[in-house]
Amino acid sequence: MNFHIVSAVPELLESPLGHSIVKRAVKNELVSIHIHDLRNFGIGANKQIDDYQFGGGAGMVMMVEPLDKCISYIKDSFGDHPVAYMTPDGDRYTQSMANKLSLESGLIIICGHYKGIDQRVRDHLVDYEISIGDYVLSGGEIAASVLVDSISRLIPGVINDASSALTDSFQDDLLAPPVFTRPASYNNWEVPDILLSGHDAKILEWREQMALEHTKKRRPDLLK
Ligand code: ADE
């Protein structure tokens, strides 16, 4: 999977994507992450990328031309990948969208800032408009990092234990069951006996039961 992230503040992406599983995936060449500084496609000596909105109103809008040029450059140089725009008024991001996007060979992700991007970019250049939840972030970079992280862990070979990603919450519309590690007893807080029994079939049954109960209690909407 080849990610191309278009950002006006590329520094914001360095830390979330520079550690742990994503870092290892990049090192092992299972995932590549290219960060494109939109300013390099800015207009004029000042490399302008945003302007006041037509019709008046507070807040700057990211201009069509720098985004168009940047997307064309990426498509010409790296392949005609679909374009996702991170925006609070997009489709709500879910595990099934992550699963679907993980099948692409590449993805271009636009991070918005200020008041958003010129609508013509959305109308003519964007394939997916994605929100990570009903709240407003200062920019799309954190949302883009969420996308990259959640998709990367689905790429074969990224997670050592192949079954691990499949047992994550949401993979089967259920939340994950509780997990425990050593010590078996701490402060008289005990690990359920069944998990210490060594009886694989019973443990599996218990986990399924707990996942169901947990989902009923916390996210009944997932069961509908
Ligand atoms: N940009 C700002 N807020 C966002 C959100 N909730 N989801 C995706 N992108 C965003």
Side-chain angles (χ1 to χ4, degrees):
M1 164 63 84
N2 303 294
F3 294 103
H4 293 271
I5 310 180
V6 178
S7 168
V9 195
E11 302 77 20
L12 282 174
L13 293 157
E14 279 163 20
S15 180
L17 300 177
H19 301 276
S20 182
I21 288 175
V22 175
K23 180 180 177 184
R24 202 176 61 222
V26 171
K27 189 167 163 252
N28 292 339
E29 297 181 2
L30 298 166
V31 164
S32 74
I33 303 174
H34 306 257
I35 298 174
H36 303 272
D37 188 343
L38 186 62
R39 192 68 63 179
N40 293 336
F41 300 84
I43 296 166
N46 290 336
K47 299 280 175 198
Q48 186 181 0
I49 56 170
D50 60 336
D51 209 336
Y52 296 101
Q53 52 178 314
F54 282 125
M60 306 293 272
V61 175
M62 289 168 73
M63 300 162 81
V64 63
E65 188 177 333
L67 282 164
D68 184 28
K69 286 194 167 143
C70 183
I71 291 167
S72 295
Y73 161 75
I74 295 168
K75 289 192 172 198
D76 291 347
S77 314
F78 301 97
D80 189 14
H81 303 307
V83 177
Y85 170 48
M86 307 313 297
T87 176
D89 64 354
D91 295 327
R92 180 83 70 85
Y93 191 54
T94 60
Q95 187 64 46
S96 67
M97 285 164 80
N99 293 348
K100 182 177 165 206
L101 291 172
S102 74
L103 302 175
E104 299 281 357
S105 63
L107 186 64
I108 301 169
I109 308 174
I110 303 176
C111 306
H113 261 269
Y114 322 111
K115 202 74 191 156
I117 64 175
D118 191 301
Q119 181 63 34
R120 290 167 292 183
V121 177
R122 301 176 69 158
D123 291 344
H124 300 287
L125 300 174
V126 166
D127 301 293
Y128 302 100
E129 299 185 315
I130 300 176
S131 163
I132 62 160
D134 289 344
Y135 41 80
V136 179
L137 302 165
S138 308
E141 282 77 6
I142 292 172
S145 307
V146 167
L147 218 65
V148 172
D149 186 300
S150 56
I151 293 171
S152 294
R153 55 188 286 109
L154 298 171
I155 305 297
V158 167
I159 292 188
N160 291 334
D161 175 359
S163 70
S164 182
L166 294 175
T167 56
D168 283 346
S169 283
F170 304 111
Q171 265 311 356
D172 47 9
D173 287 335
L174 290 177
L175 301 181
V179 291
F180 300 86
T181 186
R182 285 183 290 181
S185 177
Y186 177 80
N187 270 353
N188 287 332
W189 303 337
E190 309 296 341
V191 170
D193 286 340
I194 184 77
L195 295 178
L196 311 175
S197 70
H199 195 307
D200 290 345
K202 285 214 165 115
I203 290 172
L204 187 64
E205 198 182 311
W206 180 86
R207 286 186 168 145
E208 284 170 358
Q209 183 61 31
M210 293 308 289
L212 192 62
E213 279 176 26
H214 195 44
T215 311
K216 267 189 200 156
K217 203 156 121 200
R218 309 197 75 160
R219 292 293 306 277
D221 57 297
L222 294 175
L223 296 171
K224 281 176 193 139

